[in-house]
Amino acid sequence: MQELRKERLDRGVKVRCDSIYAVSSLKEVMFLVGPGLALVLILLVLPLVVSPYWQRVLSITGIYVLLSIGFGFLANYVGLVCLGGALFVGVGGYLSGIMNSVGVPMILSIPIAAFAGAVICTVLLLPCLPLRGVYFAIVSFVYPLLAARLIAATGIFGGTDGIAGLDVLTNRWFNIYLIFFVLLVAIFFMSRLVNYEDLGLVFRGVKDNEQAIIASGINITWYKAQAVFIAAFLGCFGGAYLTHLYGWVGMSLFAIDFSILPVAATVVGGSGILYGPLLGTFLLVPLSEMMRDYGTLRIVFYAVILVFFVVFWTEGIMEYLRRKYEQFEHWVRV
Amino acid sequence: MNDNIILQVKNLSKAFGGVTAVNDVSFDLARGEIMGVIGPNGSGKTTLSNLITGFIKKDAGSVVFNGKDISRWPAYKIADAGLARTFQVMRPYATLAAYKNLVPPLFSPRARRTARGKLGDRSAVAIDILEEVGFERDARVPYKLAGTLPLGYLKRLELCRCLALRPELIICDEVFSGLSMSEIASMVPLMERLRRDGITLIMVEHRLRELFRIADKVLVLNFGEKIAEGLSQDIFKVEKVKQAYFGGEDCYVSSE
């Protein structure tokens, strides 16, 4: 019997772009910038072809993408499993809401909330930065639950009713392109950071070889704090944006969906590269919206999809696509 | 205190539960010296280096480096002060070129300080350091993936990671172990050159023959206690050392 073996080889254009870095033809330029360009084009065109209802869904998706990128960045490049998505959204949302309710205009309250919120979240998580893996996850997961209980019990910040009557982002075109613009900037900035910048190498060292980084005289807690700040900044911006999308801020901003969905999106999309969480979010959030008619049954669909990916397709969609893009496969005789 | 003393360890102790890994160890180290630390397996050599460099908390005792008491400092601050160390088990960035492994240490505050603003492109500096150390048979080593390098080159890479900090003292944790004779033979001149460059070395070793050739003095540990300290050529005349290594029979260590 003839035995066959599947062989994967890098495409010629991939090898040329990898090794020489001299860009010698349009084909190679397109190979390098093509995927990024395609992403920009898709995000530009998508809002034009869908109904206003789905535009709103896409705006919400954008918030989840910011959280997923932050989660993927912390988990894959810094080694912190952070379930603090709800914390980031909640803190950012409430800060912006509170500021807006005392008269700060939206155009100031959103960026200030993103920045100040990131500082607050980083300080809150600072004591547990030496923790690793599941312990950090637990602490970051508990904070939003704590905040929600605190608000409900003491009645501060409007208590269970929240704060209503805030400024609303009314122009739906502006809304959607704003969040898409922010997520594009975020993802390009982050992939540059982790792939090319020296700081990105330090982050990866913190994840893979903490001792060598410490032995190099680098304070890893400081770098972990910087990484958490970056993720928290994205999440807090998402929260502030969400607040002004509805003109209302309440306890639902601390909902655990914001913490859990990024994990699911990273599983589905693939964890190796930052585009994985992005793709995963763009599949999962609209899917969950489509299944709204089935009520709580959608949780079951959701679970089935997750189990499928965890068990049968661990590399995730994005990793699969990247492989197809960069390599070709053929069968060879052994 | 004598200015020439770079490291002063006093009454260092550490117990893990009921096991005393390091018990009341003291020694002084002069600037520019090479000191060997030897002892049978489990005698506390690695624990001693972990204690000095702050990777393990001390139970008792003090460490004075360059006149500063660093006993309670965190590990990164000790490295920042110029006391570097290598690790026995190296985990380089396997998927990156070897020189990229030196970028994080060059990113450290100490590297920036010692370069006095002339650091420039870190990748270029990293390649310079690697080429200076030299990979005798293969000039392309700095550009190869770190995951594909043989153990001997990885040990050098680890040493380079320390050199990137421009340290004053390096604690080398078994840089010779697992290497072939020819690889060790090429490491010995490197160590001697580091000494000429003014770097003090503590070498934790099992390979006695090569160690004795370069070390000025040797510290012998057994069951966590210092049983002897002295010149390389004299150390095996000490009865306790013979006892620890050979069970008390007469021995002769080739001095070639």
Side-chain angles (χ1 to χ4, degrees):
Chain A
M1 202 180 97
Q2 271 290 346
E3 280 205 57
L4 290 175
R5 181 169 62 91
K6 203 189 229 176
E7 191 180 62
R8 287 191 193 125
L9 290 170
D10 279 2
R11 292 182 198 280
V13 60
K14 155 89 166 91
V15 177
R16 283 197 299 280
C17 293
D18 247 14
S19 56
I20 307 176
Y21 265 94
V23 174
S24 51
S25 75
L26 189 63
K27 193 178 162 196
E28 276 153 31
V29 176
M30 282 318 291
F31 181 84
L32 283 174
V33 303
L37 219 56
L39 176 65
V40 174
L41 278 178
I42 289 172
L43 290 187
L44 274 178
V45 173
L46 206 54
L48 301 175
V49 296
V50 297
S51 64
Y53 171 76
W54 280 96
Q55 284 182 348
R56 175 56 68 98
V57 173
L58 285 176
S59 298
I60 306 284
T61 309
I63 298 169
Y64 278 107
V65 170
L66 290 180
L67 293 172
S68 301
I69 299 172
F71 172 82
F73 167 65
L74 285 182
N76 297 314
Y77 297 97
V78 195
L80 293 169
V81 182
C82 180
L83 298 181
L87 175 71
F88 302 155
V89 170
V91 169
Y94 263 98
L95 271 181
S96 188
I98 293 163
M99 274 190 286
N100 192 238
S101 66
V102 297
V104 180
M106 220 164 30
I107 194 163
L108 283 177
S109 75
I110 292 180
I112 293 176
F115 187 81
V119 173
I120 292 172
C121 292
T122 311
V123 170
L124 284 177
L125 291 171
L126 207 54
C128 35
L129 284 181
L131 302 178
R132 304 214 111 214
V134 71
Y135 301 102
F136 184 78
I138 291 170
V139 177
S140 57
F141 190 65
V142 163
Y143 269 124
L145 302 178
L146 196 91
R149 293 287 175 284
L150 203 67
I151 289 169
T154 59
I156 47 169
F157 310 142
T160 44
D161 296 334
I163 306 169
L166 305 171
D167 293 351
V168 185
L169 291 157
T170 42
N171 186 330
R172 59 192 164 94
W173 298 108
F174 175 77
N175 287 352
I176 192 159
Y177 282 118
L178 171 70
I179 193 80
F180 279 5
F181 174 75
V182 171
L183 80 86
L184 273 178
V185 170
I187 200 159
F188 287 149
F189 164 77
M190 302 270 264
S191 48
R192 176 153 186 95
L193 175 72
V194 296
N195 290 321
Y196 301 108
E197 296 289 335
D198 296 346
L199 179 62
L201 277 177
V202 177
F203 282 147
R204 281 169 66 172
V206 169
K207 183 195 173 212
D208 296 331
N209 196 355
E210 201 176 271
Q211 290 212 318
I213 297 292
I214 297 172
S216 302
I218 292 173
N219 183 355
I220 55 165
T221 308
W222 168 236
Y223 284 92
K224 280 182 179 174
Q226 286 183 26
V228 168
F229 178 85
I230 294 175
F233 183 83
L234 297 179
C236 289
F237 175 84
Y241 171 80
L242 187 63
T243 296
H244 293 291
L245 213 55
Y246 291 123
W248 171 83
V249 60
M251 275 162 50
S252 63
L253 260 62
F254 285 112
I256 57 170
D257 302 38
F258 294 116
S259 297
I260 297 302
L261 192 124
V263 187
T266 308
V267 168
V268 170
S271 61
I273 29 182
L274 286 169
Y275 294 93
L278 176 121
L279 184 71
T281 316
F282 265 99
L283 291 176
L284 282 181
V285 177
L287 190 73
S288 134
E289 196 57 40
M290 272 186 252
M291 293 191 298
R292 193 171 276 275
D293 298 343
Y294 300 101
T296 45
L297 203 60
R298 64 179 169 163
I299 301 294
V300 178
F301 284 115
Y302 229 68
V304 169
I305 293 170
L306 273 190
V307 169
F308 171 78
F309 273 94
V310 168
V311 177
F312 297 107
W313 204 358
T314 37
E315 64 178 358
I317 301 173
M318 201 66 207
E319 196 62 29
Y320 174 81
L321 291 178
R322 189 179 67 95
R323 213 178 60 224
K324 289 285 169 204
Y325 186 66
E326 291 179 349
Q327 300 178 318
F328 59 87
E329 296 170 348
H330 63 158
W331 292 92
V332 290
R333 289 205 185 94
V334 176
Chain B
M1 189 184 133
N2 190 346
D3 272 354
N4 205 30
I5 300 290
I6 186 165
L7 186 72
Q8 198 172 32
V9 173
K10 263 193 204 149
N11 310 107
L12 212 53
S13 295
K14 175 73 192 179
F16 297 108
V19 182
T20 308
V22 169
N23 190 5
D24 204 23
V25 171
S26 308
F27 64 87
D28 287 351
L29 185 62
R31 199 175 293 276
E33 260 188 333
I34 296 183
M35 182 175 89
V37 177
I38 63 171
N41 283 328
S43 58
K45 302 184 297 294
T46 299
T47 307
L48 181 65
S49 27
N50 280 336
L51 286 174
I52 295 173
T53 50
F55 277 85
I56 302 180
K57 277 208 180 101
K58 302 155 190 70
D59 287 350
S62 70
V63 180
V64 177
F65 175 66
N66 262 342
K68 280 173 289 211
D69 186 358
I70 59 168
S71 314
R72 301 273 161 234
W73 288 16
Y76 79 89
K77 214 174 150 192
I78 293 175
D80 189 60
L83 203 169
R85 67 165 301 181
T86 70
F87 287 97
Q88 263 183 66
V89 181
M90 295 144 300
R91 282 153 63 196
Y93 297 86
T95 54
L96 292 178
Y99 74 87
K100 282 279 180 197
N101 281 272
L102 299 189
V103 170
L106 287 172
F107 201 81
S108 65
R110 180 176 174 85
R112 290 188 228 192
R113 221 167 39 231
T114 47
R116 286 177 221 87
K118 289 182 291 189
L119 200 53
D121 180 15
R122 290 191 183 82
S123 296
V125 179
I127 291 171
D128 284 349
I129 294 173
L130 285 169
E131 283 180 346
E132 208 181 320
V133 165
F135 293 89
E136 65 284 350
R137 281 187 299 274
D138 195 348
R140 288 186 50 191
V141 168
Y143 307 95
K144 286 187 178 167
L145 295 187
T148 66
L149 294 181
L151 189 63
Y153 288 163
L154 284 181
K155 297 260 177 189
R156 286 188 178 212
L157 189 61
E158 181 76 359
L159 204 55
C160 290
R161 188 182 56 66
C162 294
L163 292 178
L165 295 175
R166 299 187 190 219
E168 292 174 53
L169 192 159
I170 305 179
I171 299 183
C172 303
D173 201 351
E174 305 209 358
V175 283
F176 290 162
S177 70
L179 301 190
S180 70
M181 293 309 283
S182 66
E183 282 174 322
I184 293 176
S186 70
M187 284 291 265
V188 169
L190 177 61
M191 292 301 177
E192 284 172 339
R193 217 191 68 202
L194 292 182
R195 168 170 39 192
R196 278 202 303 281
D197 291 346
I199 298 175
T200 315
L201 292 169
I202 294 179
M203 302 190 62
V204 177
E205 277 305 330
H206 272 302
R207 304 296 298 250
L208 303 184
R209 180 196 299 245
E210 290 77 15
L211 179 67
F212 286 176
R213 214 157 73 192
I214 52 176
D216 300 304
K217 67 171 183 178
V218 176
L219 183 83
V220 190
L221 294 178
N222 196 23
F223 295 112
E225 291 184 32
K226 180 170 105 170
I227 56 172
E229 184 182 351
L231 301 175
S232 307
Q233 57 267 37
D234 301 334
I235 203 77
F236 269 86
K237 291 178 187 147
V238 178
E239 196 57 42
K240 270 184 169 173
V241 180
K242 281 194 231 171
Q243 191 84 31
Y245 265 85
F246 308 103
E249 286 170 38
D250 279 341
C251 67
Y252 171 71
V253 178
S254 162
S255 57
E256 56 174 300

